[in-house]
Structures are given as C-alpha cells and as structure tokens.
Amino acid sequence: MIVEWFRHLFIPCRPEVRDLGYLRELLAIEGRAARCRPHWRSHLENCRSLILEAASACPNKGKVLVLGSGLLLDIPLAELSASFGQVVLTDIFHLPPVRRALKIHPNVRAVDADVTGTVAEVHRLTRTRDRCPLPRVAPDLFLDEGFDLVVSANILSQLPVLLLQRLDQRLALEEEEMEAFARGLLEEHLAWLGRFPGQVCLITDLKWQSVTLGQTLEDEDALFGVTVPATGRTWYWNIAPSPEYSADYDRRNLVLGVKDLRAGE
Ligand SMILES: C[S@@+](CC[C@H](N)C(=O)[O-])C[C@H]1O[C@@H](n2cnc3c(N)ncnc32)[C@H](O)[C@@H]1O
C-alpha cells in the first residue's frame, strides 16, 4: 500500500490522469492482478487467444491498434509484434514498467491518449464546478492510419467509470444526465470502432455481478443499456474473489469477446 502510494505521488503524468484517478486505478489493477493471478488466468487466456484468432483471420498484417492496452495483461504482445509490421498501443497512460518492457519490441509504439475526447473537459468542468452540458464527442483518432486490425481490449465498460465518480463528487447533476453521458461514451466508442476500415475485435464486460454460494446478489449492466451488435462468445472474469472486495461475496464480470465486430461474431 505504501509503495503504491509513493508511486502514485511520484510517477509523472498529465494532471487529469492523476486527478481523475486513472493512475491510481492502473496501480490498483497491477496489485490486484498479482494477488488474484490464478483467478484471472482463464479470462486472460481467453482474451489473448481471441485476439490471436482475430489476428490470424486478418488478411493483411501491416498495422494493429490496441485500445486500452493498460498493463498488457490480456494482450499477446510478443505474437502481435512478430506477426504485424507495426503495433500501436493506446491507453490514457502507460506506467513506466510497461514502457520499459516495450523496448525489446522495436515495432511497438505506446501512445498515451484519451480515446473518448472528453476527459480534459470533464476535468475542467469539475475543477471550475461549471454546470455546462456534459461533452459528447465523436472520436476520430487513428481513423486514417490504415490499421488492418483494431482491438478494443476490456476498455468499453471502463470509459465512464472514473468520469462518473468525479462528476458525482464535484457536480450535483441529475442521474439521467449522468447516465446519458455514460451511454454517449459507449455509443461513440462503438461508432468509432465501426468507422475503422480494417477488422475490429472487441472484448468488453457486459455485466458486473456479486455472487456467493452460487447465488447472484447483484447483477449490474456494465454498458448502461447499450447493446453490442454482435454475438461472439462469453465467459466469466473472476475479478475480485472474496475477500478481495468483500468478505461476504465474490465479484465477477460477464465478458463478451467478438473476433470480428463487422461480421457480428
Ligand atoms: C480493464 S483495463 C484494460 C486492461 C488492459 N487491456 C490490460 O491488459 O492491462 C481498462 C483500461 O482502460 C483505460 N482507459 C480508461 N479510460 C480511458 C480513456 N478515456 N482513454 C484511454 N484509456 C482509458 C485504463 O487506463 C485501463 O488501462
């Protein structure tokens, strides 16, 4: 905990990445992944093998883009680097150990960017406590860079989480306005994915559940009512087995993996 706190204080990053909790969250995921390694294994293997299937179905292997690369836990980086000419990883922030690990792959580039186009504005609104309408942005990053494969890697459901937390702390907004903002982020991400000319692979939480002794205590829609236009395959990610989050129940996510979003499967 103390080490995590020091790292949070001293890792250099953009103000919104620290203030809105993105850096804290990346450090927390790093810790949880280490503590819950055996419980996360099947989820991480499912993600990696789906991404490799998507890659092998891709006729051209010039460039691949990964959205939500984070700590690279669910990304088969060595294989992507070996089979594609260029690999571009995007996350709001890449931790220094992740950047160091990339040095052995000369064709891999990490780009720190907000894929929603709203984070800086939400940061500004919540600092000035400005009651302007919440932003809705159609992202256009990377669209004209000729990617043969785009992988949205466990990022979709995460896009609203920290923004909503901050908005809730700082601005007394109506629940409907917050929910419409969250839905807008998800709809715009899906619309953006649909505008890439190459193949798109999507991995996302569908549900966040609390379970104990085979009983579901809570079953929350991770996508705010937004539906993904695809079937794909599903599995559970045992993200926080007891007592990680609670002594009384486990937290698990129902995850959807879609190899080819345009084909819907
Ligand atoms: C569940 S993690 C994904 C895990 C990651 N694929 C891995 O293997 O470590 C969600 C990721 O989304 C990133 N993220 C959340 N909001 C973002 C945004 N607006 N722009 C870019 N990345 C964002 C987080 O920083 C985090 O790394």
Side-chain angles (χ1 to χ4, degrees):
M1 267 309 188
I2 291 188
V3 174
E4 198 170 299
W5 182 72
F6 266 102
R7 288 178 73 205
H8 185 256
L9 278 183
F10 293 114
I11 291 175
C13 63
R14 305 192 302 285
E16 64 271 24
V17 169
R18 191 186 311 281
D19 294 352
L20 298 187
Y22 292 100
L23 176 59
R24 187 193 61 228
E25 199 57 27
L26 281 162
L27 294 170
I29 296 176
E30 195 184 45
R32 181 169 288 173
R35 289 190 301 276
C36 302
R37 195 184 307 268
H39 301 275
W40 284 28
R41 187 167 295 127
S42 65
H43 162 68
L44 298 180
E45 282 171 6
N46 285 339
C47 295
R48 290 189 203 116
S49 57
L50 186 84
I51 295 169
L52 290 177
E53 276 179 49
S56 71
C58 217
N60 299 316
K61 299 204 172 35
K63 294 169 80 174
V64 52
L65 172 65
V66 177
L67 307 171
S69 35
L71 301 163
L72 303 174
L73 299 168
D74 49 27
I75 312 298
L77 185 66
E79 293 88 338
L80 291 180
S81 162
S83 50
F84 283 81
Q86 277 183 51
V87 182
V88 177
L89 306 172
T90 306
D91 200 281
I92 196 139
F93 186 67
H94 291 92
L95 289 173
V98 172
R99 285 200 170 268
R100 281 196 293 276
L102 298 183
K103 288 197 175 141
I104 57 166
H105 301 291
N107 64 340
V108 177
R109 181 163 60 100
V111 178
D112 289 355
D114 161 28
V115 299
T116 69
T118 64
V119 168
E121 177 63 358
V122 169
H123 186 230
R124 189 190 70 76
L125 293 176
T126 54
R127 276 165 65 96
T128 55
R129 299 191 188 243
D130 200 343
R131 294 292 304 269
C132 288
L134 297 176
R136 176 150 183 161
V137 175
D140 58 4
L141 276 175
F142 304 115
L143 281 177
D144 54 3
E145 293 188 25
F147 283 101
D148 301 294
L149 176 64
V150 177
V151 180
S152 174
N154 286 301
I155 186 176
L156 181 66
S157 70
Q158 297 304 302
L159 296 175
V161 172
L162 295 176
L163 298 177
L164 289 181
Q165 263 177 31
R166 180 70 163 196
L167 286 165
D168 195 38
Q169 285 159 0
R170 295 295 174 97
L171 302 176
L173 299 174
E174 297 294 330
E175 204 166 315
E176 295 91 79
E177 189 179 358
M178 304 258 281
E179 287 192 1
F181 170 67
R183 269 196 306 279
L185 293 172
L186 305 182
E187 287 165 356
E188 294 294 353
H189 186 79
L190 291 171
W192 180 43
L193 294 180
R195 286 157 66 208
F196 281 94
Q199 185 172 332
V200 174
C201 168
L202 170 70
I203 305 173
T204 179
D205 302 340
L206 292 178
K207 289 180 175 231
W208 295 323
Q209 299 180 333
S210 303
V211 291
T212 184
L213 304 170
Q215 241 196 322
T216 305
L217 306 177
E218 206 188 352
D219 189 7
E220 197 182 343
D221 180 355
L223 300 182
F224 291 85
V226 172
T227 48
V228 174
T231 45
R233 67 191 76 153
T234 55
W235 62 83
Y236 283 108
W237 174 7
N238 294 314
I239 188 163
S242 175
E244 181 68 23
Y245 184 87
S246 160
D248 300 326
Y249 55 83
D250 303 328
R251 296 281 292 168
R252 70 179 186 186
N253 299 348
L254 177 65
V255 177
L256 170 71
V258 182
K259 189 172 72 176
D260 182 345
L261 192 57
R262 199 160 289 118
E265 56 187 28

